[in-house]
């Protein structure tokens, strides 16, 4: 399968591991992925993590620090930057403004 499809179900899957299992060089997979999708595999993975974290922010009540750790971010600040990047607003705003969250659900 294509690494992007595989990683969509498992954001911790390493591209190097996937390449090795499929008999390809990591660099070849990275270049091919970027060429096909216009985004680096690392950015794709980060966007998937950010989306998963954002959905937990708007749908639940877990603490932001816990969400960051459980979705694979180094810390809450890193998660906050990525959520802001993909949604245009930081997680605290999504939590603070219920009407803002309803527009996105």
């Amino acid at each position: 399968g294509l690494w992007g499809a595989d990683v969509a179900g498992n954001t911790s899957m390493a591209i190097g591991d996937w390449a090795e299992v499929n008999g390809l060089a990591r660099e070849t997979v990275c270049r091919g992925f970027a060429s096909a999708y216009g985004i680096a595999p690392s950015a794709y993975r980060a966007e998937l993590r950010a989306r998963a974290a954002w959905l937990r922010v708007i749908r639940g009540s877990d603490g932001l620090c816990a969400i960051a750790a459980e979705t694979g971010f180094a810390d809450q600040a890193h998660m906050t930057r990525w959520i802001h990047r993909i949604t245009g607003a930081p997680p605290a705003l999504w939590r603070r403004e219920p009407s803002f969250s309803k527009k996105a659900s």
Side-chain angles (χ1 to χ4, degrees), residues 54 58 87 93-94 97-105:
W54 173 71
I58 65 170
T87 69
L93 179 60
W94 288 102
E97 300 293 333
S99 61
F100 199 59
S101 293
K102 288 179 181 154
K103 291 176 191 174
S105 296

Side-chain angles (χ1 to χ4, degrees), residues 5-48:
D6 288 345
V7 80
N10 177 7
T11 58
S12 66
M13 176 180 282
I15 195 167
D17 293 343
W18 185 92
E20 185 177 324
V21 167
N22 289 279
L24 300 166
R26 180 187 185 285
E27 295 76 16
T28 300
V29 175
C30 287
R31 280 192 303 271
F33 187 91
S35 176
Y37 296 102
I39 187 172
S42 58
Y44 175 76
R45 180 192 323 259
E47 287 184 11
L48 286 175

